[in-house]
């Protein structure tokens, strides 16, 4: 039964990929080798492009895409449920113990180490977003002109949005919508 | 509003406007769960993010399960997770069925380039806001800088860095405060012993 197989393959991916959506990618390549009739390498390339250009967590998008390729609409649902099931189980257990020992000084000491580490990892991710958002590394590698490295229009938009965020208290959704419109109008 | 429906709708909104990895969810999560609904504190969100990075699965889903679970138990965690993945289901299904070359459209690429800039600004803003709550002492600063270098330059896997930082936090607290992990009674006992010793010394 293809749906049961799909569920368990994705359950395994959910269980063994640690560190977010992109961590599932090596497993998807393995899946392609194991079941060549499920999807082709070209499908994977298209999957990455679509998952990056649509809203939603990368890992979930990719699971829905693969599931759709394999078994249509129900396939997409089954694959995603397989992916998130280990998370739900593991986090429910972790959260239970966290609540139970909430006032324990040991847990608080561990957390005091985790929080700054978590912030640092978000900062690392921010650097890679910055590279995609305001730098033109490909153009710079071709021309070697330092001025080509910085995408002036993108930097101006980033500064305007950032200042606006500090002054005007509106929902982040609006900044995303506005930036999308600016991107289309000014052909970013 | 029914709390399950509220959880579902809130996390569907978060899922529907997250572009990129789990970190891109940070501004949306803090806005919805901390500022608007008061479901969690900023410290808790950072805890969930840390744990979400060293436990199996997608970080966004792990965080949703955490918040949902805190508000309405295991079923709440499940509902929040279904909420966060719901927009992906709808959008990806439509694209996979009807618009195979979606990512190649020029208008999509332009919109996405703009969105990436907004996500960058939003994440920087969130980092500045959460930074004050996450780095509160010298130990925090040391961990933050070390983990940044180890992750960005040495490329040590995030899960290891999180685990090691937890151990470091434990050891640091132990060294800086001898009585940190003793119960109140034990502390009182040792205090009394010390006092008695002092009294004895004075007697001598």
């Amino acid at each position: 039964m293809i749906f049961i197989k799909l569920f368990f393959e994705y359950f395994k991916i959910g269980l063994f990929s640690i560190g977010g959506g992109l961590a599932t990618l090596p497993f998807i390549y393995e899946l392609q080798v194991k079941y060549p009739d499920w999807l082709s390498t070209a499908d994977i390339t298209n999957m990455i492009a679509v998952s990056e250009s649509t809203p939603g967590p990368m890992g979930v998008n990719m699971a829905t895409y693969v599931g759709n390729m394999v078994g249509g609409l129900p396939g997409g649902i089954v694959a995603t449920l397989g992916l998130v099931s280990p998370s739900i189980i593991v986090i429910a257990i972790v959260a239970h113990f966290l609540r139970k020992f909430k006032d324990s000084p040991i847990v608080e000491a561990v957390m005091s180490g985790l929080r700054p580490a978590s912030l640092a990892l978000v900062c690392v991710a921010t650097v890679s977003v910055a590279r995609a958002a305001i730098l033109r590394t490909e153009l710079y590698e071709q021309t070697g002109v330092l001025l080509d490295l910085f995408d002036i229009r993108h930097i101006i938009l980033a500064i305007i949005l950032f200042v606006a965020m500090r002054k005007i208290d509106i929902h982040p959704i609006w900044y995303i919508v506005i930036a999308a419109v600016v991107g289309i109008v000014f052909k970013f | 509003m029914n709390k399950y429906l509220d959880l579902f709708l809130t996390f569907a909104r978060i899922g529907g406007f997250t572009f990129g990895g789990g970190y891109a969810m940070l501004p949306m999560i803090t806005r919805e769960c901390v500022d608007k609904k008061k479901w969690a504190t900023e410290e808790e969100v950072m805890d969930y993010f840390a744990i979400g990075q060293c436990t199996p699965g997608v970080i966004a889903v792990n965080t949703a399960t955490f918040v949902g679970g805190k508000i309405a138990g295991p079923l709440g965690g499940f509902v929040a997770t279904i909420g966060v993945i719901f927009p992906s289901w709808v959008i990806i299904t439509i694209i996979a069925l009807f618009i195979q070359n979606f990512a190649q459209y020029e208008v999509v690429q332009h919109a996405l380039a703009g969105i990436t800039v907004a996500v960058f600004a939003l994440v920087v803003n969130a980092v500045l806001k959460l930074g004050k709550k996450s780095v509160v002492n010298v130990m925090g600063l040391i961990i933050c800088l070390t983990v940044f270098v180890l992750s960005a330059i040495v490329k040590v896997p995030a899960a290891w860095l999180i685990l090691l930082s937890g151990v470091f936090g434990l050891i640091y607290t132990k060294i800086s405060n001898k009585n940190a992990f003793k119960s109140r009674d034990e502390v009182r006992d040792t205090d009394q012993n010390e006092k008695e010793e002092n009294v004895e010394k004075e007697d001598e």
Side-chain angles (χ1 to χ4, degrees):
Chain A
M1 181 63 180
I2 197 159
F3 290 120
I4 296 174
K5 234 189 229 170
L6 191 62
F7 182 85
F8 278 106
E9 285 298 337
Y10 255 97
F11 190 91
K12 267 196 309 203
I13 294 178
L15 190 60
F16 291 116
S17 60
I18 294 174
L22 278 178
T24 67
L25 205 49
F27 293 95
I28 296 175
Y29 279 109
E30 270 175 35
L31 203 65
Q32 196 271 323
V33 175
K34 201 170 160 191
Y35 303 99
D37 52 326
W38 278 11
L39 69 169
S40 64
T41 38
D43 286 335
I44 295 183
T45 315
N46 201 28
M47 170 198 76
I48 297 171
V50 169
S51 303
E52 277 180 335
S53 49
T54 47
M58 274 288 283
V60 176
N61 288 353
M62 295 197 291
T64 315
Y65 194 93
V66 173
N68 257 298
M69 291 270 112
V70 179
L73 178 68
I77 294 176
V78 165
T80 317
L81 286 181
L83 177 75
V84 302
S85 295
S87 291
I88 295 179
I89 297 166
V90 171
I91 297 294
I93 295 170
V94 173
H96 172 77
F97 283 105
L98 209 61
R99 263 197 299 279
K100 206 167 161 188
F101 299 108
K102 201 177 68 181
D103 300 319
S104 146
I106 296 178
V107 171
E108 184 47 41
V110 172
M111 286 302 170
S112 73
L114 290 197
R115 271 173 222 144
S118 181
L119 182 79
L121 292 173
V122 175
C123 288
V124 175
T126 312
V127 173
S128 63
V129 182
R131 197 179 292 156
I134 56 172
L135 297 184
R136 294 181 296 190
T137 37
E138 277 172 26
L139 185 67
Y140 173 65
E141 273 161 18
Q142 277 173 17
T143 62
V145 182
L146 194 61
L147 213 62
D148 283 343
L149 181 60
F150 300 100
D151 197 321
I152 303 297
R153 290 191 309 165
H154 290 209
I155 293 174
I156 293 172
L157 178 64
I159 293 171
I160 294 172
L161 289 175
F162 183 74
V163 172
M165 273 165 214
R166 309 234 110 198
K167 303 248 186 252
I168 314 163
D169 192 34
I170 56 169
H171 202 286
I173 289 175
W174 291 113
Y175 293 110
I176 289 173
V177 172
I178 292 165
V181 173
V182 172
I184 294 169
V185 171
F186 292 95
K187 295 202 181 301
F188 267 34
Chain B
M1 203 195 316
N2 180 306
K3 66 181 170 184
Y4 294 111
L5 186 65
D6 199 10
L7 273 172
F8 177 84
L9 291 177
T10 303
F11 275 94
R13 205 152 48 224
I14 293 170
F17 284 88
T18 295
F19 286 83
Y23 53 85
M25 222 174 92
L26 204 50
M28 292 288 294
I29 285 263
T30 44
R31 176 71 184 197
E32 291 281 348
C33 300
V34 180
D35 300 345
K36 246 171 90 178
K37 309 271 180 190
K38 309 254 185 282
W39 282 342
T41 63
E42 280 160 334
E43 286 92 341
E44 281 173 322
V45 169
M46 286 316 275
D47 292 351
Y48 298 159
F49 248 70
I51 296 168
Q53 291 188 59
C54 58
T55 45
V58 182
I59 299 170
V61 170
N62 292 351
T63 314
T65 312
F66 254 125
V67 177
K70 192 195 165 205
I71 299 306
L75 185 61
F78 181 74
V79 169
T81 302
I82 297 298
V84 90
I85 63 184
F86 186 73
S88 297
W89 271 348
V90 176
I91 294 166
I92 298 287
T93 303
I94 292 172
I95 287 174
L97 289 180
F98 304 111
I99 338 171
Q100 284 285 342
N101 53 347
F102 174 79
Q104 278 79 46
Y105 281 99
E106 235 175 82
V107 69
V108 172
Q109 288 177 349
H110 290 318
L112 208 65
I115 288 172
T116 311
V117 175
V119 169
F120 169 59
L122 283 167
V123 173
V124 170
N125 195 30
V127 165
L128 291 178
K129 228 165 95 183
L130 295 171
K132 284 178 221 151
K133 303 270 177 157
S134 306
V135 180
V136 288
N137 51 23
V138 182
M139 177 198 78
L141 196 64
I142 295 170
I143 291 181
C144 190
L145 293 175
T146 314
V147 169
F148 184 86
V149 170
L150 288 178
S151 174
I153 296 163
V154 191
K155 310 277 182 205
V156 179
W160 286 111
L161 294 172
I162 293 279
L163 291 176
L164 288 175
S165 304
V167 174
F168 188 83
L170 198 62
I171 295 170
Y172 183 92
T173 314
K174 178 82 184 161
I175 292 171
S176 61
N177 180 1
K178 265 193 302 182
N179 290 332
F181 303 133
K182 287 180 183 159
S183 69
R184 227 170 266 144
D185 294 340
E186 281 175 300
V187 174
R188 202 187 301 135
D189 286 348
T190 43
D191 281 355
Q192 257 168 10
N193 288 343
E194 275 168 17
K195 264 184 210 154
E196 279 164 18
E197 276 168 26
N198 289 343
V199 172
E200 279 167 20
K201 272 178 199 160
E202 279 169 19
D203 284 352
E204 283 169 14

